[in-house]
Structures are given as structure tokens and as C-alpha cells.
Amino acid sequence: MPSDISLTRTHSPKARPDDSSLSFGKVFTDHMFLMDYEEGRGWHDPRVVPYGSLTMDPATAVLHYGQAVFDGLKAFRQADGSIRLFRAERHAKRLNKSCAALCIPEMDADLIRRSFEAIVAADHEWVPSAPGTSLYIRPTVVATEVMLGVHPAHRYTYFIICSPVGSYYKEGVKPVRILATDTHVRAVQGGLGEAKTAANYAASLSAQQEAERAGYTQVLWLDGVERKWIDEVGTMNIMMKIGDEVITPPLGGTILDGVTRNSILTLMRDWGLKVSERKISIDEVMQAGRDGTLQEMWGTGTAAVVSPVGELGYKGETIRIGGGQTGPLTQKLYDSIVAIQYGRAPDPHGWTSEVKIPVEA
Ligand SMILES: *Cc1c(COP(=O)(O)O)cnc(C)c1O
């Protein structure tokens, strides 16, 4: 089928790093995807071009008012050499949802999915194959109108860049220490918490810095009104196992609808576990930590899949969770998702999709 996405290949391919040297988001592939929006004309000119700088007038809207959204997904090299994306359709839909939240005109969801495939196909040689490695795909939409008035822009650019990334857990899954903050807030009802937007990350930095200075790895975010209800951890969704119940805060305004969150909830329900999407207070969690019923706690996100929590600090008290070790359910969830991603286990929900590599002329 002829593609509406044009391809211009680079004449100067870069040297590809060794799989063993990969970290996160430091090297980028040979190509990028671009598409433009102009009021009256709509989204147009989807294309894969050599990777390079975007030049912008200093008055470009995104540089001033932050009208920017992004997403993040991965492509995995399978044992037979083929390449599969994990939940591309869900990521495409979420990018559109984020666009809508920031008054950015939505794109055709199927074209977004095909844009992921087009960039990965063009840079297929960059998909690493060492265990635990993958190609991280970063679709981003920014306002490119040149103006200083505060209003939704009339021009946008959608771009995708890709980065080969190493195993998040080179030395095995490792628990982190997290600090619940009652001084900083990430998102509020009616705000942008449900959107994957640059602004939320800017809002998280000072709390993250404070947590690091206090010897913790991540911030546990509480709600912005009562400073009581657990929202998210760092830039991940949060889950915990108290007794025989697995609990995660419900979506509903301030929480990002994580694809990993959804995948893990689905697996646990498949396994017949008792899973609750309900509000849970920091006091309930601290009490469960003290009385020993808090068995496991973990964050979920595309980069790490799961990130076990070994210690939780709040108001000067620190509780250890599961002896500071990775719990059995956390480990099983990690192993199960990763096995589906690399094609080592059946994929009953059809979460992965193959990227067809065109035969070179
Ligand atoms: C991206 C993100 C997540 C995790 O979403 P995934 O789709 O699982 O990667 C969770 N919380 C926030 C705030 C995020 O930006």
C-alpha cells in the first residue's frame, strides 16, 4: 500500500552505539518524523526526514507559554529479529487526549499509530537486541506560531524522535526510597494532571530536588486539596498490596492514565487477584506499614515497567516495605509484562504489533 508518509533518508548515518553502553535518552537515531498544522489547512505533510535541529523564532509560542504535549512508548526486538511496538494504539489515543487538554488540534489516531511505525521502520537498525534494551519513541507536539499573545496557537509541529535505551535494571530490579510531600503539589482537579504535558514536569522539579537532598529517589504526590490522598509517584502511577488487596488510586482528573497501569491492572484481574481502584490516604498506607500488612508497593511506567518501593518517608517517619526487597508480585508483574513485550509469552490481549520493515530497493 502506498504510504502518505514521505521518506527522505539521511546521507550521513551516525555510528550506532554498542548495545552494552546504552543508558536512557542520550543518543538519538538517524531520522525523525515531522508533520505540520496550520489553521485552515489542518494537519499536513507527514514525513520522515534526517534527524536535525528545529529552528524557531524566539517568539515561538511554546517557548513562552508551554503549549506542549508528548508521549512515550517502546519498540522491542524479538528473538526472531522482528520488531514489535507495545500498545501503540493506546499511546496514539492518549497523545490525542493530551492534545485536547491543551487546545491542540487532534490528529487522525490511525495516522499517529502509523507515524510510530514509519519512524521505527526507517531506523529499524537502531532497535537494539541485547536483553532488556529497546527503542524508546518520543512523539511530541508543540505550538509553533510566532506570537506573544496568550491564546491557543494557530500553528503546531508534531515530531517524533527515537532513542535506543539500555535495560533500566542492569543489576536486577532495585527498590527505591520515596518521600511523600505535603508542601508541593503536582496536579489539581481541573488542571493538567491527566495530560502528558511539559508543564507537569516543570511543576515536579523542585519537590524532586528536595526529596533527593533528603536522601530519597522519588516524590510520592498527594492530592492538592487535602494533602492526604495518594496520587502518583515521581512520573509513575502507584500501586500497593495491603493484605490480599491490590490498591491503586482511581483516574479522575489529577492522575495520568498510564498504559503500564492499565496493562498491570488487566494482568492482575486475569490472575484473579483482588484489585481496587479506590482512593487511599497516606495515613492508611503508613498505618499498614506500621502493622505489617503493607506487603508491596511499586510505581508503574513505560521506562521501568515497575519500580518497587523499599522505603516510604512521611512527616519524619520512615517505613520499610517488604524488608526493603522487591516483592514477589512486583517481580512477577515485571517478568510477565517484559515477556509479552519481547514475544517470549503469549499476548492474549493483542497488546503488541509488528513493525513491517520495507525491503530496501
Ligand atoms: C507517562 C506517565 C506515567 C506512566 O505512563 P505509562 O503510559 O505507563 O508510561 C505516569 N504518570 C505520569 C505523570 C506520566 O507522565
Side-chain angles (χ1 to χ4, degrees), residues 43 62 66-72 94-105 107 138-143 156-159 192 195-199:
W43 284 106
V62 67
Q67 205 187 354
V69 298
F70 65 93
D71 218 286
R94 189 173 67 188
L95 182 61
N96 260 343
K97 237 184 111 183
S98 298
C99 283
L102 275 94
C103 301
I104 299 173
M107 297 174 272
R138 168 54 63 87
T140 308
V141 188
V142 295
Y156 297 89
T157 296
Y158 168 40
F159 64 86
L192 294 175
K196 222 168 165 70
T197 177

Side-chain angles (χ1 to χ4, degrees), residues 100-123:
L102 275 94
C103 301
I104 299 173
E106 292 179 43
M107 297 174 272
D108 178 68
D110 190 59
L111 178 57
I112 301 178
R113 189 187 50 75
R114 288 186 294 116
S115 70
F116 301 158
E117 292 172 359
I119 188 65
V120 174
D123 281 329

Side-chain angles (χ1 to χ4, degrees), residues 282-349:
I282 182 69
D283 297 325
E284 181 181 345
V285 175
M286 294 301 288
Q287 189 50 45
R290 286 180 213 115
D291 68 24
T293 52
L294 175 59
Q295 297 171 4
E296 299 183 39
M297 188 168 189
W298 66 91
T300 72
T302 293
V305 184
V306 294
S307 179
V309 176
E311 273 180 48
L312 166 61
Y314 177 59
K315 287 194 193 293
E317 181 185 359
T318 300
I319 53 171
R320 261 168 92 77
I321 303 166
Q325 304 295 309
T326 301
L329 177 58
T330 310
Q331 185 68 49
K332 183 180 174 190
L333 287 165
Y334 176 80
D335 293 340
S336 305
I337 296 270
V338 166
I340 294 170
Q341 290 173 331
Y342 289 96
R344 296 194 300 262
D347 176 18
H349 299 282

Side-chain angles (χ1 to χ4, degrees), residues 91 94 186 196 201 232 235-237 256 258-261 300-302:
H91 283 281
R94 189 173 67 188
R186 189 194 80 94
K196 222 168 165 70
Y201 286 73
E232 297 203 54
T235 58
M236 289 181 286
N237 296 114
L256 200 279
V259 174
T260 317
R261 176 187 184 278
T300 72
T302 293

Side-chain angles (χ1 to χ4, degrees), residues 55-68:
T55 49
M56 283 189 188
D57 187 289
T60 300
V62 67
L63 301 178
H64 300 271
Y65 307 125
Q67 205 187 354

Side-chain angles (χ1 to χ4, degrees), residues 344-355:
R344 296 194 300 262
D347 176 18
H349 299 282
W351 284 339
T352 70
S353 54
E354 185 171 0
V355 177

